[in-house]
Amino acid sequence: MPDQQFTLDPSDWSTVRALGHRMLDDMFAHLEGIRRQPAWREMPAEAKAAFDVPLPTSAQGIETAYRAFLDHVLPYTAGNVHPRFWGWVKGSGSVEGMLTELLTAGLNVNAGGFDIPATYVELQVLAWCRTMMGFPADSGAAIVSGGSMANFVALAAARDAVAGAAAEEGLRTLEAPLAFYCSDQTHNSVAKSLRLLGLGREALRAVPTNTAYQLDLSALDRMIAEDRGRGVRPGCVIGNAGTVNTGATDDLVALAAVCRREGMWFHVDGAFGAVAMLSPSLRPIMNGLEQADSLAFDFHKWLHVQYDAGCVLVRDAENHRKPFSEPASYLKWMDRGFGAGPAAFRDYAPELSREFRALKIWMAFVAHGIDQYRRLAEQNVAQAAYLSALVEKDGALELLAPTALNIVCFRYCRAGLDDETLNGVNQEILMRLQEEGVAVPSGTMLRGKFAIRCAITNHRSRLEDFDVLTGAVIRLGKALTIGD
Ligand SMILES: *Cc1c(COP(=O)(O)O)cnc(C)c1O
């Protein structure tokens, strides 16, 4: 027998407990005071250097690690929890979500199925998701890490459904090569998925978009006909419910009809946009989404669930399971005991071991109610309209895309400056906005023009925050172009 037996549990629980209470208080203070923080603060060299040290071999204690967190992490993290963060598409999280993460970590459940509460909580959340999105009660559903994984899972189901026997025998046995179609505004996770699914990047056809950045339906028809003419089999259309660049939504009713006519799978990427389904006033924009064979959307963006959490729904649960259910003796389903239970989530996505993500979603939905998420989405859409109006009424600013939902793309402009110059000026404005800590929009290129892009998925933003933004853009723009 060894004379000492080791564990990770504390030798003195009361000290750790006191530190735990302090951590909780520190994080409450952080969130309560977030508006007084800069929207971004660059880590100084000293903070970066704190994360470039040798592997620790001996114990330094949680107090030492926490000190480093307070010194080198916490001061530089405002980012997407800040009221003036509108970059990329990021959610703000919630205080309730933070608390739930503590509970989740305390339980440290591996939520892969089994006869445990995590399974029932997850089934509850999945049932609510089908209801929210107008999917049938028996459709396949899974909670995954985010929209990228949700797109991957859905497109795997699409591939196997259209590949027939080649799904088992290997894609080299396909009778005709497959082509998938999406607009040129589609998120790059779709292209990544096609690579990972062995279909090849070139199987993805980028269909041009109209002036509203929606997929051009006649171009789609032409491309499908051309592919058929060359012996290529059209397999799937990916529609956008809120593009990442401008928030445009494709004509989903028309895309659903094309897919029915052509015998194709219809997938919708609604990473953030699908949340509009909760609102009677916004829902018409999403018409046709409920006809999709599969849908991807995120909890961690416009539903403000703590990172990370996304959802995939697949109308035909059998199709959903096809790529992911693989029998294994060590996973034999038992009649009773821990190894029983009503669901095996491993059959609906690549992961076996999984975090108990459903708890933070369930708790947030119960705590806030879906009406509050609806109001928040509507508030962000109204803020996007407000920002667009500010841009349009100021001669020094120019809207670069129609504001269809919650994303506003604009730039500073000045008579006599060409696009190339303005692209440079606006990139510089964007970086300075961030460096000054005023706000964090991100940028994108729209038809050759660099846009300052605000994706408003933020429950802390207030109308006056957008006045602060436009004021700063004009101030920086003038400073950069004076004398030109
Ligand atoms: C963010 C986003 C994705 C990817 O989702 P992640 O959760 O970041 O993986 C896919 N599509 C669209 C339209 C997005 O906005």
Side-chain angles (χ1 to χ4, degrees):
M1 286 293 286
D3 47 0
Q4 199 185 354
Q5 301 194 47
F6 301 102
T7 173
L8 290 176
D9 277 340
S11 52
D12 173 6
W13 284 83
S14 63
T15 310
V16 171
R17 177 173 311 184
L19 181 64
H21 287 289
R22 221 190 105 204
M23 287 176 170
L24 198 55
D25 281 339
D26 288 347
M27 292 316 289
F28 277 126
H30 174 68
L31 289 179
E32 195 176 2
I34 199 67
R35 181 171 276 283
R36 294 189 298 274
Q37 297 290 320
W40 183 68
R41 185 188 275 147
E42 189 181 0
M43 286 170 81
E46 181 208 354
K48 291 176 182 168
F51 301 102
D52 188 18
V53 300
L55 180 68
T57 45
S58 58
Q60 295 164 48
I62 180 81
E63 297 82 2
T64 305
Y66 188 55
R67 188 71 253 159
F69 170 84
L70 290 178
D71 290 344
H72 305 310
V73 176
L74 192 58
Y76 312 107
T77 52
N80 53 289
V81 300
H82 192 277
R84 284 189 299 277
F85 188 100
W86 306 299
W88 303 275
V89 189
K90 303 200 191 199
S92 333
S94 69
V95 174
E96 291 77 2
M98 173 181 88
L99 296 174
T100 312
E101 290 284 44
L102 180 67
L103 307 181
T104 305
L107 296 176
N108 190 34
V109 164
N110 179 346
F114 311 112
D115 201 358
I116 52 176
T119 303
Y120 299 89
V121 174
E122 182 149 349
L123 288 172
Q124 171 72 92
V125 168
L126 294 174
W128 288 345
C129 289
R130 294 183 188 97
T131 304
M132 287 192 314
M133 297 301 162
F135 267 62
D138 62 351
S139 44
I143 296 172
V144 292
S145 57
S148 301
M149 184 56 90
N151 278 332
F152 173 79
V153 168
L155 294 172
R159 177 200 61 186
D160 282 11
V162 297
E168 291 300 320
E169 293 163 11
L171 294 177
R172 68 191 181 285
T173 65
L174 276 172
E175 278 165 23
L178 289 169
F180 283 26
Y181 306 80
C182 62
S183 91
D184 59 16
Q185 298 295 304
T186 303
H187 193 268
N188 71 353
S189 57
V190 168
K192 279 198 219 174
S193 296
L194 261 72
R195 281 182 194 275
L196 292 170
L197 292 168
L199 294 169
R201 175 67 180 79
E202 303 218 328
L204 189 63
R205 310 278 190 262
V207 183
T209 42
N210 60 24
T211 52
Y213 291 94
Q214 298 166 302
L215 181 143
D216 178 338
L217 292 161
S218 49
L220 173 66
D221 282 343
R222 217 165 36 242
M223 290 163 91
I224 289 174
E226 273 169 25
D227 275 329
R228 285 208 192 281
R230 299 190 287 144
V232 171
R233 166 135 179 251
C236 172
V237 173
I238 296 114
N240 281 296
T243 59
V244 61
N245 265 341
T246 70
T249 295
D250 296 327
D251 184 340
L252 302 177
V253 171
L255 293 183
V258 169
C259 288
R260 265 195 310 275
R261 184 189 78 211
E262 301 282 341
M264 296 165 75
W265 184 282
F266 180 34
H267 173 64
V268 171
D269 178 0
F272 63 93
V275 173
M277 290 293 279
L278 302 180
S279 159
S281 64
L282 301 175
R283 192 177 174 131
I285 302 172
M286 298 295 143
N287 267 348
L289 178 147
E290 72 291 340
Q291 297 180 45
D293 291 301
S294 55
L295 169 69
F297 68 94
D298 270 318
F299 298 105
H300 57 213
K301 288 180 175 173
W302 221 2
L303 291 169
H304 307 297
V305 169
Q306 249 70 359
Y307 282 95
D308 51 24
C311 185
V312 56
L313 298 177
V314 180
R315 181 169 303 278
D316 180 335
E318 203 48 54
N319 279 332
H320 190 170
R321 272 193 299 272
K322 222 183 262 174
F324 303 109
S325 58
E326 190 62 41
S329 57
Y330 44 85
L331 294 173
K332 180 176 160 40
W333 210 318
M334 304 303 283
D335 293 334
R336 297 189 323 279
F338 197 103
F345 302 120
R346 59 179 177 266
D347 289 346
Y348 295 85
E351 302 99 337
L352 172 57
S353 297
R354 313 158 66 242
E355 184 187 321
F356 184 12
R357 292 192 183 98
L359 188 66
K360 59 191 175 186
I361 304 160
W362 175 82
M363 207 164 255
F365 282 13
V366 172
H368 300 295
I370 284 301
D371 272 355
Q372 183 67 344
Y373 294 100
R374 169 185 62 73
R375 278 189 288 267
L376 289 171
E378 289 168 356
Q379 176 169 284
N380 283 161
V381 170
Q383 288 167 338
Y386 177 79
L387 172 58
S388 305
L390 286 181
V391 167
E392 285 188 298
K393 76 167 191 249
D394 198 305
L397 302 175
E398 182 189 6
L399 211 52
L400 291 183
T403 301
L405 200 61
N406 60 330
I407 298 185
V408 183
C409 292
F410 70 103
R411 68 175 176 178
Y412 176 81
C413 57
R414 200 182 169 104
L417 298 185
D418 61 16
D419 279 344
E420 201 186 323
T421 310
L422 286 173
N423 288 351
V425 167
N426 280 281
Q427 288 184 52
E428 187 59 31
I429 292 174
L430 176 63
M431 291 186 282
R432 291 195 192 186
L433 278 173
Q434 298 178 357
E435 284 169 338
E436 289 184 3
V438 174
V440 183
S442 58
T444 194
M445 291 298 290
L446 295 172
R447 316 268 195 245
K449 296 175 182 175
F450 182 83
I452 298 172
R453 173 184 163 285
C454 290
I456 310 171
T457 46
N458 191 324
H459 65 78
R460 298 194 174 98
S461 303
R462 304 176 55 82
L463 277 186
E464 51 270 31
D465 289 316
F466 300 95
D467 298 295
V468 171
L469 171 71
T470 51
V473 168
I474 293 166
R475 169 177 56 80
L476 290 166
K478 280 190 179 143
L480 285 164
T481 54
I482 244 133
D484 277 18

